[in-house]
Amino acid sequence: MKKTLVSALTAALVVGAASTTFAAANPFSDVPADHWAYDAVSQLAADGVIEGYGDTTFQGDKNITRYEMAQMVAKAMAKSNTGNVNGADKALIDKLAAEFSDELNNLGVRVSNLERNADMVKWNGEMRVQAISERNEGQHMQNKYPALLRLEPSAEVNSNWHVKARIDSKVANLAEDSSKNTAELQRVYAEGKYGNTKLDFGKIPTVFNTNMLFDGQFSGASVTTGNKLKFTALGGRWSQVGGGNDVAADVYGAGVKYTLGKASAGAAYHELKGDGFETRANYRNGSTSDKAQIWSVDGYYRFDGNTALGGEYAQNQKADNYDKSGTVEFDYKGVKKANAGTWGAYVAYRHLGQNVSLKSNTLNYAAMQGTKGWEIGADYTLFKNTVAYLKYFDGEKLAGGKDASKLMGRLSFFF
């Protein structure tokens, strides 16, 4: 498994914890001051983790071998022994040491069984509180204050396989004097990686266009293979077609995505079959169908380190009404959860036909199913791993053209 500059930056983040600032002079002629990796590469060179080539170049796009990566990990381990590395960075060093233990042993760097097994079971999570105000046809409809505690464990089975899960405990409305809440095992699946191929089995995350079309998870399997050009196939059963757990459908899909430099483009096809489509209002004109056949395309381009433009379009060939969805979004900067003071903003136009956007992502979108209009949002990292989000949608319902708007704020604590 070969890695490029990204691998070097992983080590940079570790060894950088032992330094006060990224103020070192850059010795490499092919890493200009405006390069996104300038600070990290300069610090790596100053710390003696990388040396570059004799012609004063770094050659960051060149593949490096596992042995070369292990040399950088060994130097990071040496820095961690000075005691100037915090617990989170020490855990990352231990994980890198476990990954490259064979190569490190060949270098004469001892990795004990305890170190080899370090961080085999990892827990991530989020505690989230929200405030949501929706207005429909100019009348105030509802205020909601939901809260969520999410736990995401990951356990290593062997070098190729991990078992992952998501557990959500929700409170529907903090403003209500009620102890009612729900706790649910949202996902549980095995994930295997063999080179450029990834396999998932179980109750797995949805794969394509999860923001605009399908939010959540389905029971089944998927396989993705390729590097710059990736192919994906999936099959299983999805239980959220009608917006609730009482409607289910068999689902099959295939897609392709190509990434080249700052740009990416993709296309996908899904077929869903279930009785829920026969009972959906305004699905067909004068006939019934128990299927949805949805194709979609998407594209994304990052202009520089601060600005990006992306969009998606999809159509359900079995629906006669509200059968198209599309979104165009311009992004500026973006938060980094670990870095206080970082922020981002976006502006987007969304059109979400309810017979193709079967369950759009209500966390990432303020726009609702069956509406069209403009959306703006911003996020800001208040403290390390503490992020505030604010989103506003102003538009109209696709059915009847009545006004619709939504304001939502969220405070998330990540751990």
Side-chain angles (χ1 to χ4, degrees):
M1 177 178 62
K2 293 186 176 181
K3 299 178 181 291
T4 57
L5 180 61
V6 176
S7 299
L9 294 180
T10 301
L13 293 175
V14 175
V15 300
S19 305
T20 56
T21 62
F22 284 116
N26 174 30
F28 303 121
S29 60
D30 59 345
V31 185
D34 59 352
H35 193 281
W36 66 273
Y38 176 84
D39 288 341
V41 171
S42 301
Q43 190 63 51
L44 277 169
D47 288 338
V49 176
I50 57 174
E51 298 176 356
Y53 294 83
D55 60 354
T56 74
T57 62
F58 176 56
Q59 300 185 22
D61 293 330
K62 181 179 179 180
N63 285 338
I64 63 173
T65 66
R66 288 182 61 89
Y67 182 81
E68 290 170 328
M69 184 63 192
Q71 289 178 309
M72 288 190 286
V73 174
K75 293 176 182 179
M77 291 173 65
K79 281 192 170 292
S80 72
N81 292 332
T82 64
N84 293 325
V85 176
N86 62 35
D89 289 338
K90 181 61 168 65
L92 176 56
I93 294 173
D94 290 342
K95 190 167 184 65
L96 287 169
E99 167 69 20
F100 295 94
S101 59
D102 292 338
E103 290 81 6
L104 288 167
N105 286 331
N106 290 335
L107 289 171
V109 179
R110 177 182 172 275
V111 180
S112 69
N113 289 335
L114 179 60
E115 292 168 330
R116 186 185 297 265
N117 294 329
D119 210 24
M120 290 184 66
V121 178
K122 184 178 180 180
W123 288 82
N124 292 318
E126 176 190 1
M127 196 284 283
R128 174 196 311 158
V129 292
Q130 295 187 87
I132 301 172
S133 178
E134 293 185 17
R135 292 182 181 271
N136 196 337
E137 301 180 15
Q139 301 296 318
H140 179 262
M141 293 295 292
Q142 56 182 332
N143 285 332
K144 295 185 292 185
Y145 305 93
L148 177 144
L149 175 64
R150 170 170 292 169
L151 300 176
E152 295 183 309
S154 175
E156 181 179 322
V157 178
N158 53 47
S159 60
N160 296 111
W161 287 90
H162 287 72
V163 171
K164 299 184 177 183
R166 171 182 287 184
I167 305 166
D168 283 359
S169 181
K170 302 176 182 178
V171 176
N173 197 339
L174 292 173
E176 296 178 354
D177 186 16
S178 171
S179 60
K180 292 182 180 179
N181 60 75
T182 60
E184 184 178 355
L185 181 63
Q186 295 278 341
R187 301 173 184 173
V188 55
Y189 61 100
E191 180 178 276
K193 293 183 178 180
Y194 294 88
N196 291 325
T197 299
K198 182 170 77 74
L199 305 99
D200 290 326
F201 301 93
K203 193 170 185 180
I204 67 178
T206 50
V207 179
F208 305 117
N209 297 322
T210 55
N211 287 340
M212 191 175 75
L213 299 181
F214 314 112
D215 178 30
Q217 45 278 323
F218 71 96
S219 298
S222 71
V223 56
T224 298
T225 187
N227 188 5
K228 291 182 178 180
L229 181 63
K230 292 183 180 292
F231 297 90
T232 299
L234 62 89
R237 192 160 179 83
W238 194 49
S239 61
Q240 297 173 312
V241 171
N245 293 324
D246 56 336
V247 180
D250 297 328
V251 57
Y252 306 94
V256 60
K257 182 173 284 292
Y258 182 67
T259 301
L260 180 62
K262 298 178 180 179
S264 66
Y269 175 81
H270 287 86
E271 180 166 309
L272 299 95
K273 185 176 188 285
D275 295 339
F277 293 108
E278 295 181 335
T279 59
R280 289 177 71 89
N282 299 315
Y283 192 71
R284 300 281 284 178
N285 288 327
S287 64
T288 60
S289 175
D290 62 352
K291 288 184 179 181
Q293 293 178 340
I294 300 172
W295 62 268
S296 61
V297 293
D298 63 89
Y300 182 85
Y301 185 80
R302 176 162 291 281
F303 297 96
D304 52 36
N306 290 327
T307 57
L309 181 67
E312 302 174 46
Y313 177 81
Q315 182 173 358
N316 182 353
Q317 295 177 308
K318 284 293 184 180
D320 291 337
N321 301 280
Y322 313 116
D323 59 342
K324 299 178 178 65
S325 285
T327 180
V328 177
E329 180 173 317
F330 178 79
D331 298 324
Y332 182 71
K333 290 189 174 182
V335 297
K336 297 179 181 178
K337 293 182 292 186
N339 296 339
T342 59
W343 64 279
Y346 72 90
V347 58
Y349 183 82
R350 311 202 194 280
H351 179 118
L352 304 179
Q354 56 264 44
N355 286 330
V356 62
S357 292
L358 300 176
K359 192 175 187 297
S360 57
N361 193 320
T362 56
L363 181 63
N364 287 332
Y365 285 0
M368 298 82 78
Q369 289 169 278
T371 65
K372 65 178 180 179
W374 290 93
E375 179 177 325
I376 59 174
D379 39 27
Y380 183 80
T381 304
L382 299 170
F383 315 102
K384 182 178 181 180
N385 296 328
T386 305
V387 182
Y389 304 83
L390 184 66
K391 303 173 187 284
Y392 177 71
F393 170 77
D394 185 33
E396 63 183 39
K397 299 192 71 172
L398 297 179
K402 301 296 184 179
D403 290 342
S405 64
K406 183 177 179 180
L407 176 65
M408 58 184 294
R410 183 170 89 245
L411 184 63
S412 292
F413 302 87
F414 299 94
F415 54 90

